[in-house]
């Protein structure tokens, strides 16, 4: 039976056996018993279902993991078919997933990836919001953010380290290293935005976060990311009280509230935003609409479109007003400047992007977000694996971060941890973790990273904004990164369009390797976690960053002259 034919059978089988969406949305299987034919396939299955665990996903029933409409699978039937294909996938086969749909199971070999995923890729001239939506409406593609379609989301924690590093860098650059006594205004308490208050308060400051959807704000309060949820007056009073709560959620629309605060002369030291402006017609809520009304609105309705773009430009106009009033203002990677600029507010780009302003020096050293998921579901595995990571990379900052995360970061879905590691660290950590699994003291682990790594993303208004050599929009790097990781045999490799900033505005790739303690895992880990960060160093060395050139020389990365 041909691969494509078998995949059709998977769909049919999933429908016939009555596999319902409910059965698949109970989170990932736990324990050490395999449902699949090997730990790589099992790892992919558990990470996919973990993405859709109702405790992890923003809207599991809609298959939305995070970031507006970032999905893990195209439809419930497609999800069931992917699960069925993973359950029967052999150790010498590869499942091919096209924008959230299983399209073939092909014979490969044990060292090849078990799954290859490409999401939302559209020929560049068709890669605009309206053309994409038409393809989506025709059932031909889906939007997958980064780790939603790449099956490696770990909840709000995933962005926490990054957000924490950013606010620390803001404190360093403008306020002598601390946000003590400083007040931060931002918006959006979604999957990513939820981490902002934590990062601000850990840096000594206090945050007022505008959120249009009361249920999202309540969710963050329940999860302890927010201390108080209130309307305009109560929230503002609590925020302005120096002894008040650290993170206050103000229920309202940012396009109303930010201009109002500016107009009333309320001072903030730092102003940013994490509303889903990357998807203006699908996720950003315009003024005058509730979140539910916006979700149900017709994206082609000229009144709705006018409300969206009017709100976005007024919102950015107010951010510019705060900048002129002396606040530190930056775009937090949601593409809001580009949206406003495309609708007449050219001054939007006076606001810097957070990567070019604060994160670039970290990327230029080839350092990026490394994460792992404990496939057994046992929190004790997380503790043991964290101990190993702290032993291998003994820096004070890593130890401080892990201790803080242990104490403050609630687990969502399978136990997972993120930290920032570079070349020479990731392979040592990966091999040590495989040894830990081999020793029998820890269940299998899935090791990987977000797509926002030095080489693995081209996003000219975010990760690659204002590159030293002007290579902001050059997207060969994420494609090369995906090819390299597939060649080195990562367990699964994903490539996508539009993560973070919207379709047509970024290309990115990610990978995961399952550490099950085997020799084969050791080979894969040794290869992938050496060359993946080495390509990051090469990307920044090619762009002329001295930090990257120094790293390349220090680690013997062969960069032809
Ligand atoms: P999300 O869709 O999970 O949450 C967005 C939140 O904003 C929701 O709670 C929504 O109700 C709220 N919202 C929408 N319109 C609003 C408005 N006008 N006023 C106030 N609140 C509004 O998205 P997310 O995963 O939290 O991501 C937020 C944005 O940040 C996205 O654009 C995403 O692409 C971007 N992002 C940034 C980073 C980063 O590193 N900073 C990383 C990934 C994604």
């Amino acid at each position: 039976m041909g691969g494509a034919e078998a995949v059709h059978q998977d769909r049919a089988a999933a429908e016939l056996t009555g596999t319902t969406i409910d059965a698949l949305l109970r989170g990932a299987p736990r324990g050490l018993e395999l449902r699949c034919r090997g730990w790589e396939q099992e790892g992919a299955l558990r990470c996919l279902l973990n993405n859709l665990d109702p405790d992890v996903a923003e809207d599991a029933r809609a298959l939305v993991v995070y970031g507006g409409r970032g999905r893990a699978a195209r439809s419930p039937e497609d999800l069931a078919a992917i699960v069925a294909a993973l359950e029967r996938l052999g150790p010498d086969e590869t499942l091919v997933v096209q924008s959230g749909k299983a399209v073939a199971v092909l014979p490969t070999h044990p060292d090849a990836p078990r799954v290859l995923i490409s999401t939302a890729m559209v020929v560049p001239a068709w890669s605009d919001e309206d053309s994409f939506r038409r393809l989506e409406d025709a059932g031909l593609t889906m939007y997958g953010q980064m780790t939603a379609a790449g099956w490696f989301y770990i909840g709000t924690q995933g962005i926490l380290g990054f957000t924490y590093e950013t606010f620390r860098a803001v404190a360093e650059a403008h306020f002598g290293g601390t946000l003590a006594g400083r007040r931060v205004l931002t918006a959006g308490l979604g999957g990513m935005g939820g981490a902002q208050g934590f990062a601000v308060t850990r840096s000594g400051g206090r945050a007022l976060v505008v959120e249009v959807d009361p249920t999202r704000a309540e969710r963050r309060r329940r999860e302890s990311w927010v201390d108080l949820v209130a309307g305009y007056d109560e929230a503002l009073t609590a925020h302005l009280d120096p002894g008040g709560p650290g993170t206050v959620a103000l229920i309202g629309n940012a396009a109303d509230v930010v201009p109002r605060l500016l107009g009333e002369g309320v001072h903030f030291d730092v102003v940013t935003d994490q509303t889903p402006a990357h998807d203006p017609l699908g996720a950003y809520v315009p003024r005058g609409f509730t979140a539910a009304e916006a979700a149900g609105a017709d994206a082609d309705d000229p009144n709705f479109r006018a409300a969206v773009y009017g709100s976005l430009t007024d919102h950015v106009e107010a951010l510019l007003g705060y900048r002129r009033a002396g606040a530190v203002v930056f775009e937090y990677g949601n593409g809001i400047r580009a949206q406003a600029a495309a609708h007449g507010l050219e001054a939007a780009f006076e606001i810097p992007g957070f990567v070019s302003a604060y994160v670039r020096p970290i990327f230029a050293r080839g350092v990026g977000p490394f994460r792992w998921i404990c496939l057994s579901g046992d929190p004790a595995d997380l503790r043991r694996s964290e101990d190993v990571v702290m032993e291998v990379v003994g820096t004070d900052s890593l130890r401080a971060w892990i201790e803080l995360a242990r104490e403050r970061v609630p687990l969502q879905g399978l136990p997972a941890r993120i930290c920032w590691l570079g070349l020479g660290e990731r392979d040592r950590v990966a091999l040590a973790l495989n040894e830990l699994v081999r020793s029998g003291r820890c269940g299998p682990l899935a090791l990987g990273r977000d797509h926002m790594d030095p080489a693995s993303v081209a996003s000219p208004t975010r990760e690659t904004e204002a590159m030293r050599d002007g290579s902001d929009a050059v997207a060969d790097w994420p494609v090369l990164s995906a090819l390299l990781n597939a060649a080195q045999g990562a367990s699964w490799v994903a490539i996508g369009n539009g993560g973070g900033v919207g379709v047509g505005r970024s290309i990115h790739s990610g990978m995961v390797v399952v550490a099950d303690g085997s020799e084969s895992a050791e080979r894969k880990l040794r290869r992938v976690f050496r060359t993946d960060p080495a390509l990051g160093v090469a990307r920044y060395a090619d762009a002329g960053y001295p930090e990257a050139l120094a790293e390349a020389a220090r680690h013997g990365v062969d960069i032809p002259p």
Side-chain angles (χ1 to χ4, degrees):
M1 182 168 58
E5 205 183 311
V7 169
H8 283 303
Q9 290 210 351
D10 286 331
R11 282 175 77 88
E15 280 156 29
L16 281 176
T17 54
T19 305
T20 63
I21 182 82
D22 292 329
L24 296 174
L25 298 184
R26 291 193 191 120
R30 306 297 208 257
L32 296 177
E33 202 175 307
L34 286 172
R35 216 161 115 174
C36 299
R37 293 170 59 194
W39 270 107
E40 285 194 291
Q41 303 92 307
E42 185 79 20
L45 175 87
R46 291 191 186 194
C47 289
L48 164 64
L49 295 181
N50 188 54
N51 266 12
L52 292 168
D53 182 323
D55 282 347
V56 176
E58 287 301 302
D59 185 357
R61 299 205 65 79
L63 308 182
V64 169
V65 183
Y66 74 99
R69 292 177 303 145
R71 287 194 164 75
R74 209 185 297 179
S75 69
E77 295 74 30
D78 288 310
L79 174 64
I82 292 171
V83 167
L86 286 171
E87 282 173 342
R88 69 176 173 84
L89 192 70
D92 51 0
E93 292 179 318
T94 297
L95 167 64
V96 183
V97 177
Q98 180 261 323
S99 292
K101 175 183 176 185
V103 291
V105 171
L106 299 171
T108 53
H109 57 87
D111 269 16
R114 295 284 69 79
V115 189
L116 292 173
I117 301 170
S118 172
T119 311
M121 300 300 282
V122 182
V123 171
W126 278 259
S127 195
D128 59 273
E129 274 157 37
D130 287 331
S131 309
F132 186 78
R133 207 158 31 80
R134 274 192 287 280
L135 292 168
E136 227 181 352
D137 289 348
L140 297 170
T141 186
M142 73 163 198
Y143 178 60
Q145 272 286 2
M146 292 184 165
T147 50
W151 306 349
F152 213 47
Y153 184 64
I154 56 170
T156 299
Q157 179 193 172
I159 205 61
L160 190 58
F162 206 22
T163 312
Y164 181 58
E165 293 288 339
T166 305
F167 279 105
R168 273 181 33 161
V170 171
E172 205 60 57
H174 306 283
F175 306 109
T178 170
L179 291 180
R182 307 286 169 182
R183 293 191 296 99
V184 177
L185 171 64
T186 183
L189 282 170
M192 301 281 121
Q196 297 177 98
F198 178 95
V200 170
T201 50
R202 295 310 301 190
S203 307
R206 309 196 22 253
L208 182 65
V209 193
V210 185
E211 168 58 57
V212 75
D213 183 350
T215 54
R216 297 283 194 120
E218 268 308 320
R219 176 174 175 169
R220 300 301 163 220
R221 198 191 51 75
R222 275 199 314 276
E223 294 167 351
S224 314
W225 298 105
V226 162
D227 303 307
L228 172 74
V229 177
Y232 188 93
D233 292 330
E234 191 191 342
L236 188 58
T237 307
H239 175 69
L240 292 176
D241 173 1
T247 301
V248 175
L250 187 163
I251 301 301
N253 192 304
D256 287 320
V257 174
V258 181
R260 180 173 170 191
L261 289 166
L262 179 71
E264 291 177 4
V266 183
H267 166 81
F268 288 93
D269 300 285
V270 180
V271 183
T272 188
D273 172 59
Q274 276 211 43
T275 57
H278 70 279
D279 187 4
L281 298 170
Y284 183 84
V285 180
R287 251 186 324 239
F289 285 73
T290 63
E293 284 163 358
D298 173 5
D300 289 322
D301 174 356
N303 291 329
F304 180 68
R305 295 175 83 96
V308 166
Y309 294 116
S311 300
L312 275 168
T313 44
D314 288 354
H315 187 165
V316 175
E317 189 72 75
L319 297 179
L320 282 163
Y322 268 112
R323 180 173 158 83
R324 289 180 197 124
V328 172
V329 180
F330 59 92
E331 180 194 288
Y332 216 148
N334 62 355
I336 197 165
R337 292 169 303 168
Q339 294 297 345
H343 291 85
L345 190 60
E346 268 125 50
F349 276 98
E350 285 173 18
I351 298 170
F354 79 112
V355 174
S356 64
Y358 306 111
V359 184
R360 180 62 35 78
I362 304 176
F363 276 162
R365 286 186 286 120
V367 173
F370 174 93
R371 60 176 64 169
W372 71 99
I373 293 183
C374 303
L375 296 172
S376 69
D378 182 355
D381 282 356
L382 184 60
R383 260 203 116 70
R384 290 185 203 108
S385 54
E386 287 168 337
D387 287 342
V388 165
V389 173
M390 288 193 283
E391 243 167 70
V392 175
V393 182
T395 58
D396 290 346
S397 60
L398 181 95
R399 197 169 287 280
W401 158 246
I402 289 189
E403 278 161 11
L404 173 68
R406 277 179 173 173
E407 179 199 325
R408 271 295 307 267
V409 177
L411 292 183
Q412 281 176 273
L414 293 175
R417 191 60 77 220
I418 188 165
C419 61
W420 281 57
L421 301 177
L423 179 58
E425 292 174 332
R426 292 195 202 179
D427 53 350
R428 281 192 297 132
V429 162
L431 292 170
L433 289 174
N434 196 49
E435 279 303 316
L436 174 72
V437 177
R438 183 178 295 166
S439 74
R441 288 186 295 123
C442 176
L445 305 168
L447 317 183
R449 59 160 171 74
D450 197 348
H451 295 201
M452 47 167 66
D453 209 48
S456 65
V457 57
S459 185
T461 57
R462 203 165 91 175
E463 287 87 342
T464 52
E465 177 171 359
M467 291 293 291
R468 197 185 171 106
D469 63 344
S471 59
D472 309 19
V474 172
D476 296 318
W477 297 100
V479 175
L480 289 169
S481 171
L483 293 172
L484 185 63
N485 284 321
Q488 297 289 49
S491 303
W492 65 99
V493 180
I495 186 150
N497 171 11
V501 284
V503 162
R505 299 178 187 278
S506 65
I507 301 285
H508 42 85
S509 61
M511 57 72 194
V512 181
V513 186
V514 173
D516 62 0
S518 66
E519 296 285 322
S520 146
E522 185 181 319
R523 270 199 315 275
K524 291 181 168 218
L525 293 162
R526 188 186 302 282
R527 292 190 304 233
V528 170
F529 287 103
R530 166 73 191 175
T531 54
D532 185 59
L535 189 69
V537 167
R539 194 267 179 269
Y540 273 81
D542 188 65
Y545 286 85
E547 303 94 314
L549 290 160
E551 280 298 289
R554 192 157 79 88
H555 292 283
V557 181
D558 185 346
I559 296 179

